[in-house]
Amino acid sequence: FLQVLNEKKLQEVDSLWKEFETPEKANKIVKLKHFEKFQDTTEALAASTALVEGKLSKNLKKILKKIVAKDAHEQLAVADAKLGGVIKEKLNLSCIHSPMVTELMRGIRSQIEGLITGLPSREMAAMCLGLAHSLSRYKLKFSPDKVDTMIIQAISLLDDLDKELNNYIMRCREWYGWHFPELGKIVTDNLTYCKCVRKVGDRSNFASSDVSDILPEEIEEDVKAAAEISMGTEVSEEDINNIIHLCDQVIEISEYRTQLYDYLKNRMMAIAPNLTVMVGELVGARLIAHAGSLLNLAKHPASTVQLLGAEKALFRALKTKRDTPKFGLIYHASLVGQSNTKNKGKISRMLAAKTALTIRYDALGENTSAEMGAENRLKVETRLRLLEERGIRRISGTGKALAKTDKYQNKSEVKVFDPSGDSTLPVVSKKRKIQEVDEQDTEVAVKAKKFKAEMKEGTAVEDGEPVKKKKKKKDKEKQAEEEVVLSEELPTSPIIEPCCLATRVALLLHYALFMATFVCLQNTEKKKKKKKKMKDEGED
């Protein structure tokens, strides 16, 4: 507790810092009235947390009753307004909190070593640092099981191991393939391939080696048969030793990857059990790593969770004004993979909404059970089953009737040969009866007479609109130029009587040639007339 000596200088708030530039100046403003040390760090942490939360600790209450009660008429300067309200309520002491008090507290903190004598500066710094660390842990509610940094590092290492394994295995297959290329086609599993190469080495040893603990009997026989007739080149022992050493590396990395995956699975179940149940440990870990932490991921809305990992595609679509992506990292979740292509967008949207709820429950909730995640997963699975079975209900009406679907009709696409195309005889229309022809002719004649009479009167109507009389063109010269009538008539096609196929083809070719020459002659005559007309106009 410190007592103010000169209250007049406190009125000048802007220049108050000048009074605390040196310990000597500070001692003229305030002096130490009472000092009581804590027994240990735990007691200091309890008192500090109580002050942070605006509560009155037991030790502080006792000191206030002893010291300040004697000077009850004086005001108590408090740095926290909430704490001042509690003191006033419980001890009936007048407390003050203002900008002046804030500046005074700042000055006291800067010169605390000069105001409190008998404390070495090194010990003071160590005590302040230890208390600050303890207080920070309390504020963050630090727990080693809730550290998501381990998950971020583990999933990053898992991805790096996968890339390295792929490179090593590809190099191993290519290297040993020069010596025994047939083995790569028979043994498709990478780890089994490396184990076989490490155990046997040279392909000539396959006949005498027993690899039944690695390969099934049928595949083992195929490998031994292929080794006898292999097309590969011969290699030295040094080359084989290097290949075996590479196989050892592949096997060790594969075993470590399996161990790392189990570790990641356990950590995810400890930190985010509901998220793990919803989308799986790998997808959940990638979401956390992409957001930076579980708390940052909890701040994202469901729409952002849906598109996490597809930011580049999203901004490219917005820039080019095309369709935006429907999913990002969440695409690799098992529920999205189960749905067909048509329903992937709907399922990913619903899954992202439920996943956002489970992330917030894991990040901010105190319960560590995975019941909420299991319930939400069941809802998404039910929705997926409805979509797959086409069980979507109608929105209008009672909502109980299922949507109508068209009846399936099987239409055969098998085409049947039409023999009528082979016939070259002209098609003759069926003859109508004389009575039908006469009746039709009379009807047409009556309609024509009626229409002519209406045209004369100006009352003719066609398709609901009045028909106007057409004006006759009197310019006979233009009429003559537009209507060019050729004297030659189009020759009729000769009647091809049924005969052998070769004769038919010859007649058809002859007729086609005749028609082509006729069209060419017609075009040349038109060109001549145009040229003559152009000459006449030029002379005029």
Side-chain angles (χ1 to χ4, degrees):
F1 285 89
L2 296 166
Q3 187 177 7
V4 178
L5 299 175
N6 193 350
E7 292 184 10
K8 290 180 180 180
K9 291 185 178 181
L10 297 180
Q11 302 300 324
E12 300 173 0
V13 180
D14 296 333
S15 61
L16 187 61
W17 60 274
K18 293 179 182 178
E19 303 298 330
F20 288 90
E21 286 180 344
T22 59
E24 291 79 13
K25 287 184 178 181
N27 283 316
K28 291 178 182 178
I29 301 295
V30 291
K31 73 170 184 178
L32 185 66
K33 189 174 183 180
H34 181 77
F35 179 79
E36 190 169 337
K37 67 176 184 178
F38 296 108
Q39 296 296 327
D40 52 8
T41 311
T42 309
E43 190 179 348
L45 178 62
S48 300
T49 50
L51 289 172
V52 168
E53 293 173 0
K55 295 177 182 178
L56 191 64
S57 61
K58 291 181 180 179
N59 292 335
L60 182 61
K61 195 174 181 181
K62 287 178 183 178
I63 294 166
L64 285 171
K65 282 182 178 179
K66 287 179 184 178
I67 309 301
V68 185
K70 296 175 183 178
D71 303 324
H73 60 281
E74 294 184 1
Q75 287 183 327
L76 183 67
V78 184
D80 187 10
K82 190 177 179 182
L83 181 63
V86 174
I87 292 170
K88 189 176 181 180
E89 184 182 344
K90 291 190 176 181
L91 301 174
N92 198 18
L93 294 172
S94 61
C95 299
I96 183 174
H97 174 74
S98 63
M100 175 192 70
V101 175
T102 308
E103 286 294 324
L104 180 63
M105 293 291 180
R106 188 178 290 118
I108 291 168
R109 278 198 296 272
S110 65
Q111 299 294 338
I112 191 71
E113 291 179 6
L115 294 170
I116 301 172
T117 56
L119 283 174
S121 58
R122 188 174 293 179
E123 290 182 11
M124 188 80 169
M127 285 189 291
C128 289
L129 186 63
L131 183 60
H133 279 290
S134 302
L135 188 61
S136 299
R137 283 196 189 94
Y138 177 79
K139 277 185 177 180
L140 296 171
K141 294 181 180 177
F142 181 80
S143 173
D145 296 331
K146 284 284 183 183
V147 179
D148 48 12
T149 312
M150 303 300 171
I151 287 175
I152 296 168
Q153 298 298 330
I155 191 66
S156 301
L157 179 59
L158 198 69
D159 292 338
D160 292 341
L161 284 176
D162 287 336
K163 289 177 185 176
E164 292 299 322
L165 266 176
N166 287 333
N167 290 332
Y168 280 20
I169 289 162
M170 182 179 68
R171 183 64 56 209
C172 182
R173 279 179 173 272
E174 190 176 347
W175 199 352
Y176 194 72
W178 285 99
H179 179 59
F180 189 12
E182 292 81 7
L183 182 65
K185 294 179 181 178
I186 299 169
V187 181
T188 55
D189 185 59
N190 295 322
L191 192 60
T192 310
Y193 182 90
C194 291
K195 285 179 179 178
C196 283
V197 174
R198 186 180 66 170
K199 187 170 184 179
V200 178
D202 198 303
R203 69 164 184 262
S204 58
N205 298 332
F206 270 102
S208 58
S209 300
D210 182 26
V211 287
S212 58
D213 55 334
I214 302 170
L215 298 172
E217 291 182 5
E218 297 175 357
I219 297 174
E220 185 183 359
E221 291 174 1
D222 293 342
V223 169
K224 287 180 179 180
E228 293 176 0
I229 55 169
S230 178
M231 299 290 288
T233 58
E234 295 294 333
V235 292
S236 64
E237 289 185 7
E238 189 178 357
D239 296 330
I240 291 292
N241 290 334
N242 282 313
I243 294 169
I244 290 170
H245 183 65
L246 180 60
C247 291
D248 290 335
Q249 294 291 323
V250 170
I251 293 164
E252 285 176 12
I253 293 172
S254 298
E255 289 173 356
Y256 175 63
R257 190 203 176 279
T258 308
Q259 181 187 345
L260 184 66
Y261 177 74
D262 293 336
Y263 163 76
L264 180 65
K265 194 174 181 181
N266 294 332
R267 297 298 290 175
M268 280 296 295
M269 284 304 294
I271 293 170
N274 294 288
L275 176 63
T276 308
V277 170
M278 280 297 296
V279 294
E281 53 277 345
L282 287 176
V283 179
R286 285 196 175 94
L287 286 171
I288 292 170
H290 198 82
S293 67
L294 184 64
L295 197 62
N296 288 345
L297 186 62
K299 294 174 185 176
H300 291 317
S303 56
T304 307
V305 173
Q306 184 181 349
L307 296 178
L308 271 178
E311 291 86 358
K312 196 179 284 186
L314 173 65
F315 292 123
R316 193 193 308 122
L318 292 172
K319 188 177 179 181
T320 56
K321 295 183 180 178
R322 293 184 180 177
D323 293 338
T324 54
K326 294 180 180 177
F327 25 66
L329 291 169
I330 208 167
Y331 177 80
H332 300 288
S334 59
L335 286 169
V336 179
Q338 289 172 17
S339 60
N340 57 28
T341 311
K342 188 179 178 182
N343 298 325
K344 279 188 191 297
K346 293 177 182 177
I347 293 300
S348 64
R349 186 170 63 247
M350 186 177 182
L351 182 63
K354 298 296 182 186
T355 305
L357 289 175
T358 56
I359 291 165
R360 289 162 194 167
Y361 188 81
D362 288 332
L364 307 170
E366 295 179 358
N367 195 358
T368 56
S369 66
E371 292 178 3
M372 184 190 177
E375 289 175 6
N376 287 326
R377 186 181 175 88
L378 186 62
K379 289 177 184 177
V380 179
E381 285 176 351
T382 309
R383 173 69 174 164
L384 174 61
R385 204 177 302 114
L386 281 171
L387 288 173
E388 294 291 337
E389 294 173 358
R390 297 177 178 272
I392 305 167
R393 306 260 177 192
R394 284 184 181 175
I395 297 170
S396 60
T398 56
K400 294 179 181 178
L402 291 171
K404 286 185 178 180
T405 53
D406 296 331
K407 192 179 285 185
Y408 175 72
Q409 293 179 351
N410 185 20
K411 294 180 181 178
S412 177
E413 294 183 359
V414 180
K415 295 181 179 180
V416 183
F417 178 71
D418 186 13
S420 62
D422 290 344
S423 177
T424 54
L425 293 172
V427 181
V428 182
S429 59
K430 292 181 181 180
K431 292 182 179 180
R432 290 182 292 174
K433 293 181 180 180
I434 298 169
Q435 290 180 357
E436 292 177 1
V437 175
D438 293 341
E439 287 175 3
Q440 286 181 1
D441 290 343
T442 51
E443 286 178 6
V444 170
V446 170
K447 286 180 180 178
K449 284 180 181 179
K450 190 176 180 182
F451 186 73
K452 281 179 182 180
E454 288 177 352
M455 284 287 289
K456 286 179 182 179
E457 294 174 4
T459 58
V461 178
E462 189 176 355
D463 296 334
E465 294 182 1
V467 180
K468 295 179 180 180
K469 289 184 181 180
K470 294 180 180 179
K471 293 180 180 180
K472 293 182 179 179
K473 292 183 179 179
K474 294 181 180 180
D475 197 351
K476 291 183 180 180
E477 291 179 2
K478 286 184 180 179
Q479 222 172 14
E481 286 174 4
E482 290 175 0
E483 297 175 3
V484 178
V485 181
L486 295 171
S487 57
E488 293 84 7
E489 292 182 358
L490 189 69
T492 55
S493 63
I495 298 170
I496 302 170
E497 295 181 357
C499 53
C500 66
L501 185 61
T503 312
R504 286 183 189 177
V505 172
L507 286 169
L508 285 169
L509 288 170
H510 179 68
Y511 178 65
L513 184 63
F514 174 72
M515 288 297 296
T517 52
F518 178 74
V519 170
C520 290
L521 288 169
Q522 210 170 13
N523 290 335
T524 51
E525 283 181 6
K526 284 183 180 179
K527 287 178 181 179
K528 283 178 182 178
K529 285 183 180 181
K530 280 186 180 179
K531 283 181 181 179
K532 193 175 181 182
K533 189 178 177 183
M534 292 286 287
K535 279 182 181 181
D536 293 341
E537 288 177 358
E539 288 174 1
D540 294 340

